[in-house]
Amino acid sequence: MSTMNGSRLALLLALAVLLAPGAHGQTPGGLLVPADGGASATKHFDPLGKPPSTFTIELRNGQKAQLPFADRRDFDEAKRGFIAEPPYTKIMADAGHVAWDMGSYGWLLTGKDFESIHPSLQRQAVLNMAYGLYEVVPGRVYQVRGFDLANISFIKGDMGWIVFDPLTAAETARAALAFINDKLGKRPVVGVVYSHSHVDHFAGVRGVVDEADVVSGKVMLIAASGFMNAAISENVFAGNAMSRRSQWQYATLLQRNPFGHVDQAIGKNAANGTVSLIVPNRLVSKDFEEITLDGVTMVFQNAPDTEAPVQMNTYFPQFKALWAAEVVTGTIHNIYTTRGAAVRNALNWSKEINEALYKFGQEAEVMFASHSWPRWGNARIQEVLRAQRDAYANLNNQTLHYVNQGVTINEIHNVYEVPRSLREQWSARSYHGDVQNNVRGVVNRFIGHFDGNPANLIPLSPKDSAPLYVEMMGGSAKIVAKGAELIGQGKYLLATEILNRLVFAEPQNQTARRLLADAYEQLGYRAESTSVRNTFLQGAFELRNGLPGGAPPKTTGPDVIRAMSTEQWLDFVGISMDPKKADGMKFTINLVTPDNGEKFVVEMSNATLTTISGFQGAKPDLTVTVNRAELNRVMMGQASFDDLIAEGKAKFDGNRAGFDQLRSILVAFTPDFEILPGTAPKQRAAPPKPFEVRQQIDLEID
């Protein structure tokens, strides 16, 4: 048997293990397999799309030969404890559209080996097809998987459920609660835990509890100190740019198809439903803190500055069960996330895993998390914890080893190499993160983007430098010919190097655009990381088709606005104003919000808007008095300040000229700007109103 055939057989055997009947006599994923056997998935969804080239297929065969397909433990663990799947594949949003459609990925369960998907990524995508209710600790710990990007976990207390991470949308969380109650008996929710500050771990909270029960203390809602600030701040200041860039990382224009979106590494995708947020009533502030609720003892480990600024693991000593949140899942995560975010701390991430290993991992018998599947047995848990601990530490240490020898941010991704022992462990593969981007992120964290070469200190913008390159290369015809030649040789990165220059110099050159799209597409097929695959395939789609109608704006829900501090909103207003139009403006405004007792000084000087909390200017040009509850309406675009004045719900004392000047120079951000030239939609998205904050919180899922 050849290595290629052996690898394919190993993949199909692993798939067969996943689809085998579970402990309760049912078949996981049986409802998801399409009636046509996946025949419809063999056709490219884009008329201009291309199949994998012979070079891509040859590379894929080589990749398969190097992967540890003989290790099929993940498949055994992914199906272990299966109880039942729901009789539906779609969950509808309250607004009437489809919030979740697990059936759209059913073609992954047909046993086909897709040449347009990296073989390791296809394996991960199949593992993430778990759909239904699973038992983790007999009689005590359960998960509903496949209802959203994350898992929702239910801990059975003496009287009710303690819910860990209530998903992205209220509708999917509500469906999960109804499903477990239907299968195991109805129980009240007595507690909710937000493991960290990303939206797929808290925004479905109104699907499982009422806010009144949290406010009264009937339901304990637990989070780490700093949760509310982290949940909002990461999404506001650069939120519009992140929203646009996330369309590339998550391939929002691509169909769920072997040539398009296949997986999101930590789950299938994020639900598109009602985003909600309830303020926690119990904060964990110590490094390790024990809470007992409804007969369940939980030891929380604060693990900040890892996958999120605020995050915590949880150990259940009664069950010898470790909840690893999103610190340890079925993939190496993002140190640098391509949608854009602060670079994460790989060394600290490693140390927090090490803390969990030595504090809890010496006796834990099951480890489960907010994504992926559990691991059972102490030896297996320690193996996975060590693999991920070492992977993050190696990212940090090996990168800095080379940096200290002069290797730059523009070279490190071609120098760094994952140790073979880690490459041979599935738990240390980079499906969500990407090794090449992560090591560049480490360099950026420590010494920044500048590589030390003066030529790169003040680089030209691509639209300015590209025409020079095109001219010196002899014009577009020569570049197109050379690009086609390189693509014909399977040298796709070299082709992108020159075709990208031509597209920036001549955005309307369709031949160049389509050639560049062809190269991007093949690079996408080769990628093990979903972020890399999606980015190349989304780029190919936009080069061929542009942005169809732009990205529809998301209106901000009341929970998000109420959670945003007034100071954060004022800081965002300072970001939104056009500084070139502010030159020469000078004014001071006092803002007072009587219902919550806040006071601010807002000052315009030197074309810059600044804010300080807790003070009032001695001689302000204008004093604005408005309850924060009414200010929320302005922040949501439901009313203007003038509307509030007319209703008697806001008061302006003094000269409002400065306020009117500020309002006139606010720039409306919409997430439909060009990333590649010539891709802007013909009809732009409707802009927000002055002082409105559009929802960007749905980006924080990685």
Side-chain angles (χ1 to χ4, degrees):
M1 179 182 294
S2 71
T3 302
M4 185 181 88
N5 289 335
S7 297
R8 184 175 187 275
L9 178 60
L11 180 63
L12 296 181
L13 285 174
L15 177 58
V17 168
L18 182 62
L19 295 179
H24 290 72
Q26 298 187 39
T27 302
L31 184 66
L32 301 176
V33 180
D36 67 358
S40 59
T42 60
K43 183 179 180 181
H44 203 301
F45 66 93
D46 188 343
L48 296 176
K50 304 290 194 302
S53 68
T54 55
F55 303 104
T56 295
I57 293 171
E58 182 180 352
L59 177 66
R60 187 179 189 274
N61 290 337
Q63 292 167 335
K64 284 197 295 186
Q66 297 176 16
L67 291 165
F69 280 111
D71 180 359
R72 296 193 292 273
R73 290 175 295 171
D74 287 332
F75 286 91
D76 294 329
E77 292 166 333
K79 72 154 191 166
R80 179 170 170 173
F82 175 72
I83 296 174
E85 69 178 15
Y88 49 82
T89 61
K90 294 181 181 179
I91 299 172
M92 302 303 295
D94 294 341
H97 62 272
V98 176
W100 182 252
D101 182 6
M102 193 65 168
S104 63
Y105 294 101
W107 48 270
L108 281 162
L109 298 180
T110 58
K112 292 181 171 61
D113 189 17
F114 297 103
E115 293 177 332
S116 55
I117 309 173
H118 190 292
S120 177
L121 176 57
Q122 180 173 339
R123 176 186 180 277
Q124 182 80 354
V126 171
L127 283 162
N128 281 331
M129 289 299 291
Y131 185 51
L133 176 61
Y134 292 78
E135 185 178 65
V136 179
V137 174
R140 299 308 296 259
V141 179
Y142 302 87
Q143 288 187 313
V144 175
R145 301 182 204 142
F147 275 47
D148 208 320
L149 184 69
N151 304 323
I152 182 170
S153 300
F154 295 88
I155 316 302
K156 186 178 181 180
D158 293 341
M159 301 298 295
W161 298 119
I162 303 171
V163 178
F164 272 65
D165 285 3
L167 307 181
T168 310
E171 294 89 342
T172 52
R174 185 190 309 135
L177 178 61
F179 187 58
I180 192 173
N181 280 337
D182 177 63
K183 295 300 177 184
L184 301 182
K186 187 172 183 179
R187 302 171 66 85
V189 174
V190 298
V192 176
V193 175
Y194 298 152
S195 71
H196 65 286
S197 53
H198 290 161
V199 72
D200 51 323
H201 303 269
F202 66 79
V205 64
R206 289 188 185 271
V208 296
V209 293
D210 292 326
E211 184 174 20
D213 289 338
V214 176
V215 173
S216 70
K218 181 180 178 181
V219 173
M220 184 182 291
L221 205 169
I222 305 169
S225 293
F227 169 84
M228 290 301 292
N229 181 66
I232 300 300
S233 62
E234 272 198 297
N235 303 280
V236 175
F237 297 157
N240 192 72
M242 288 184 185
S243 181
R244 177 68 176 102
R245 289 164 61 110
S246 73
Q247 295 169 28
W248 285 56
Q249 184 175 343
Y250 297 97
T252 57
L253 294 181
L254 305 188
Q255 289 184 19
R256 294 163 184 185
N257 180 281
F259 302 99
H261 194 281
V262 303
D263 200 57
Q264 207 51 60
I266 51 175
K268 303 316 296 181
N269 215 318
N272 181 22
T274 303
V275 172
S276 59
L277 177 60
I278 297 176
V279 178
N281 58 14
R282 177 63 165 89
L283 295 178
V284 174
S285 57
K286 300 176 183 176
D287 290 345
F288 294 93
E289 192 164 336
E290 182 176 306
I291 296 174
T292 299
L293 174 63
D294 197 28
V296 177
T297 299
M298 300 170 285
V299 181
F300 293 96
Q301 175 199 357
N302 260 314
D305 200 18
T306 52
E307 190 269 340
V310 170
Q311 185 147 188
M312 56 187 187
N313 299 326
T314 309
Y315 186 62
F316 301 88
Q318 295 156 290
F319 317 138
K320 292 189 176 181
L322 173 60
W323 159 262
E326 202 167 335
V327 177
V328 178
T329 61
T331 177
I332 296 302
H333 221 288
N334 293 294
I335 298 303
Y336 168 72
T337 176
T338 55
R339 63 165 171 78
V343 174
R344 293 157 185 168
N345 189 334
L347 182 59
N348 183 68
W349 200 326
S350 172
K351 289 180 179 294
E352 294 292 354
I353 294 174
N354 215 17
E355 285 255 37
L357 170 63
Y358 280 92
K359 185 76 173 179
F360 311 122
Q362 306 304 304
E363 67 173 27
E365 291 298 331
V366 60
M367 179 172 66
F368 64 116
S370 56
H371 297 281
S372 309
W373 50 93
R375 275 81 174 211
W376 282 271
N378 186 257
R380 171 68 162 156
I381 292 167
Q382 291 203 35
E383 172 195 327
V384 172
L385 286 171
R386 283 191 167 87
Q388 294 219 357
R389 176 199 66 183
D390 295 347
Y392 290 113
N394 192 271
L395 276 169
N396 184 85
N397 298 349
Q398 186 184 156
T399 298
L400 293 180
H401 171 83
Y402 289 118
V403 165
N404 281 306
Q405 297 181 71
V407 176
T408 72
I409 194 169
N410 295 323
E411 299 167 321
I412 187 63
H413 52 289
N414 295 317
V415 175
Y416 177 89
E417 185 175 349
V418 178
R420 175 177 293 277
S421 57
L422 288 175
R423 294 200 306 270
E424 292 175 348
Q425 298 188 64
W426 290 116
S427 62
R429 306 292 300 190
S430 293
Y431 302 109
H432 200 38
D434 172 65
V435 173
Q436 293 174 310
N437 282 310
N438 277 345
V439 294
R440 297 183 76 194
V442 172
V443 177
N444 189 50
R445 181 179 181 88
F446 281 90
I447 61 173
H449 68 274
F450 178 47
D451 65 356
N453 183 344
N456 298 323
L457 188 58
I458 312 174
L460 291 168
S461 298
K463 65 180 179 63
D464 296 323
S465 62
L468 175 63
Y469 279 91
V470 171
E471 178 186 354
M472 294 182 66
M473 285 189 280
S476 60
K478 287 189 175 182
I479 298 172
V480 166
K482 186 63 177 179
E485 178 187 332
L486 291 169
I487 288 174
Q489 297 169 349
K491 299 176 180 178
Y492 301 115
L493 278 175
L494 285 175
T496 65
E497 182 74 17
I498 60 173
L499 290 170
N500 179 61
R501 307 278 186 185
L502 180 53
V503 167
F504 269 92
E506 300 179 8
Q508 303 309 315
N509 188 324
Q510 290 300 317
T511 301
R513 297 174 71 84
R514 291 183 178 180
L515 272 176
L516 182 56
D518 290 347
Y520 280 171
E521 191 166 51
Q522 296 300 320
L523 292 168
Y525 293 156
R526 297 174 172 207
E528 183 177 26
S529 163
T530 58
S531 297
V532 175
R533 175 188 173 89
N534 290 344
T535 296
F536 277 120
L537 296 186
Q538 177 89 1
F541 183 90
E542 290 193 19
L543 281 168
R544 291 165 175 160
N545 303 284
L547 265 172
K554 295 176 182 278
T555 56
T556 304
D559 289 346
V560 178
I561 287 300
R562 288 189 312 187
M564 180 185 295
S565 73
T566 309
E567 187 170 7
Q568 286 175 324
W569 171 70
L570 289 169
D571 288 341
F572 180 71
V573 171
I575 292 168
S576 300
M577 56 159 256
D578 186 341
K580 293 182 179 179
K581 295 180 180 178
D583 202 20
M585 292 183 184
K586 188 175 180 63
F587 56 79
T588 300
I589 298 174
N590 283 345
L591 173 63
V592 182
T593 54
D595 59 340
N596 64 359
E598 289 186 323
K599 297 180 179 180
F600 301 88
V601 181
V602 181
E603 187 176 353
M604 174 76 84
S605 62
N606 301 309
T608 305
L609 195 73
T610 58
T611 297
I612 186 169
S613 176
F615 290 85
Q616 293 281 270
K619 295 181 179 180
D621 297 289
L622 176 68
T623 297
V624 176
T625 305
V626 58
N627 282 337
R628 173 56 201 259
E630 298 300 331
L631 183 59
N632 288 342
R633 295 170 58 199
V634 175
M635 295 165 67
M636 285 187 284
Q638 296 176 348
S640 67
F641 276 102
D642 288 325
D643 292 335
L644 298 184
I645 292 171
E647 297 170 10
K649 295 179 178 177
K651 186 168 70 169
F652 279 26
D653 292 321
N655 183 353
R656 62 173 287 167
F659 170 86
D660 291 332
Q661 286 179 330
L662 174 61
R663 183 170 58 181
S664 72
I665 63 171
L666 294 179
V667 175
F669 298 139
T670 57
D672 56 358
F673 53 80
E674 289 185 341
I675 291 178
L676 294 175
T679 58
K682 294 179 181 178
Q683 183 176 358
R684 299 297 299 270
K689 298 174 182 177
F691 303 109
E692 179 185 356
V693 180
R694 284 273 169 82
Q695 179 178 310
Q696 309 296 348
I697 199 167
D698 58 332
L699 305 175
E700 282 299 319
I701 59 179
D702 60 357

